[in-house]
Amino acid sequence: MSMALLVRSFREARWLLLGSLVTIFGFCMIRAWIVGRVEMSRFQDIVEILRPEVERYSAVDVAQLFTYPGRVGVTFNEPLVVLLMVTWAIARGSDSVSGPLGRGTLEMLLSQPISRFQLLFTKSLVTVVGCALIATAAWLGTHTGVHTTKIKQERPPVSIKLPVLNMRIEVPFTEVKEAPERVPLADFVDTSLFIPAAINLGCLGVFFAGLTTWMSSWDRYRWRTIGIVTGFLIVQMIVRVVSLAVDSAHWLKYFTIFTLYEPEVLTSYGVRYPTEVWTFYFADNKGMTVLGGFSLVSGLLLGGAGTFALGHWIFCRRDLPAPV
């Protein structure tokens, strides 16, 4: 691998990477701050009324959505977070072959003493490293937001201890609502719970980067590569929604890659089954067999590695058209 190629690939991607890192870090930090500002107990009664409808579209129990770890964990499934990761993957993957081919710069590059494999491998390496950095920035933003946010904690009413019964009882009408206590959100949220979610996010980026590189390896126009992968992304999201909304179409979940992207589920595993997070499968408290973190992560990584390999194989063997 040529260091000059690696530096060149990084320089081409640096501004998109920097923008993605700053945006996802800031969004995740603000998202954690918003969690600390919203008192969910006021909405709990409303959500309980709509519990069947909410659970239909949620991958985790509704009860988890009222806990601070559950609410912060949803950050990794916010549309902006997924969009930033997928945008990076598609933008860099589409610029691996069809991008420079369409601009007429690919032949000039290949006229240098480098191989096609070297050229594509360095671009793919920078793209994968970028996915890892963006996922890390998402976790760091969440960590920073949790550790810089304070939440209201109502002071408990005065309690007295009964001497004979040796028990404490609360005295009614002694709750001090005017002066709630401010406590750090970090007292209720362990940010290490979100590391599996961040890894799941990075693996989603690797999958779409590999898929886009594969499409780019045989294509001539970058706009067409982006259109094909974006269309695939939209169809996959629609299939995911239909599989959740329609009971008779539940089997469709096996045909969408988003079944393997479950960051809030991995967060709930960390809370409820901490020893089972990094397993391929295990039995939950209802006796049902569910996929563990290794299954979700390895499924995305295998898909990404396979499509990266296909892209390299096609690019190293295809006849390149003359620049237009």
Side-chain angles (χ1 to χ4, degrees), residues 19 33 42 51 66 165 173 180 200-201 247 264:
W33 175 76
R42 298 177 182 177
R51 190 184 187 97
F66 294 112
L165 300 176
F173 312 114
N200 201 204
L201 176 64
D247 291 335
E264 69 272 39

Side-chain angles (χ1 to χ4, degrees), residues 45-63:
D45 294 338
I46 299 174
V47 176
E48 285 293 342
I49 297 174
L50 303 173
R51 190 184 187 97
E53 287 74 15
V54 174
E55 286 186 336
R56 179 185 293 275
Y57 294 97
S58 176
V60 296
D61 294 338
V62 170

Side-chain angles (χ1 to χ4, degrees), residues 41-319:
S41 60
R42 298 177 182 177
F43 303 99
Q44 189 165 0
D45 294 338
I46 299 174
V47 176
E48 285 293 342
I49 297 174
L50 303 173
R51 190 184 187 97
E53 287 74 15
V54 174
E55 286 186 336
R56 179 185 293 275
Y57 294 97
S58 176
V60 296
D61 294 338
V62 170
Q64 185 184 336
L65 301 179
F66 294 112
T67 66
Y68 285 113
R71 291 160 57 192
V72 177
V74 175
T75 302
F76 292 87
N77 215 1
E78 289 284 355
L80 182 59
V81 172
V82 177
L83 183 64
L84 280 170
M85 178 59 79
V86 173
T87 298
W88 162 260
I90 294 177
R92 297 315 308 159
S94 63
D95 199 45
S96 56
V97 177
S98 59
L101 187 60
R103 294 193 297 270
T105 59
L106 185 60
E107 286 200 343
M108 289 189 289
L109 278 173
L110 293 178
S111 65
Q112 305 300 315
I114 59 173
S115 67
R116 292 189 182 189
F117 182 84
Q118 279 183 310
L119 177 64
L120 188 53
F121 183 77
T122 52
K123 285 178 174 288
S124 301
L125 183 61
V126 170
T127 303
V128 171
V129 171
C131 292
L133 291 176
I134 292 172
T136 303
W139 182 83
L140 288 176
T142 304
H143 179 82
T144 305
V146 168
H147 283 267
T148 56
T149 301
K150 290 189 174 183
I151 60 174
K152 288 182 181 179
Q153 188 74 10
E154 299 293 344
R155 297 180 187 276
V158 176
S159 62
I160 59 174
K161 185 177 182 181
L162 300 180
V164 178
L165 300 176
N166 194 23
M167 59 182 297
R168 302 188 71 88
I169 61 171
E170 296 180 351
V171 180
F173 312 114
T174 58
E175 187 176 357
V176 187
K177 293 183 178 179
E178 293 77 10
E181 186 181 8
R182 290 274 183 183
V183 296
L185 179 59
D187 290 352
F188 301 90
V189 179
D190 179 7
T191 54
S192 65
L193 291 172
F194 309 124
I195 293 177
I199 294 174
N200 201 204
L201 176 64
C203 293
L204 180 71
V206 172
F207 174 82
F208 276 98
L211 178 67
T212 312
T213 301
W214 178 27
M215 294 296 107
S216 178
S217 66
W218 60 263
D219 205 352
R220 177 173 184 166
Y221 303 106
R222 189 181 186 187
W223 61 265
R224 188 164 59 189
T225 302
I226 295 174
I228 291 172
V229 181
T230 303
F232 174 81
L233 171 66
I234 293 172
V235 170
Q236 290 288 293
M237 296 178 76
I238 292 174
V239 170
R240 173 66 169 168
V241 172
V242 173
S243 69
L244 291 173
V246 183
D247 291 335
S248 59
H250 193 59
W251 54 273
L252 283 175
K253 70 176 185 178
Y254 300 109
F255 295 91
T256 170
I257 197 65
F258 285 100
T259 299
L260 298 177
Y261 182 61
E262 301 279 15
E264 69 272 39
V265 172
L266 290 176
T267 302
S268 71
Y269 288 170
V271 175
R272 302 170 67 181
Y273 316 102
T275 61
E276 309 290 348
V277 175
W278 292 116
T279 57
F280 283 101
Y281 61 89
F282 63 93
D284 63 8
N285 56 6
K286 297 178 182 177
M288 298 180 61
T289 301
V290 295
L291 296 180
F294 274 136
S295 294
L296 303 180
V297 168
S298 60
L300 292 171
L301 285 181
L302 285 175
T307 47
F308 267 125
L310 279 172
H312 283 68
W313 186 80
I314 292 173
F315 178 58
C316 292
R317 286 162 175 77
R318 68 176 289 196
D319 291 328

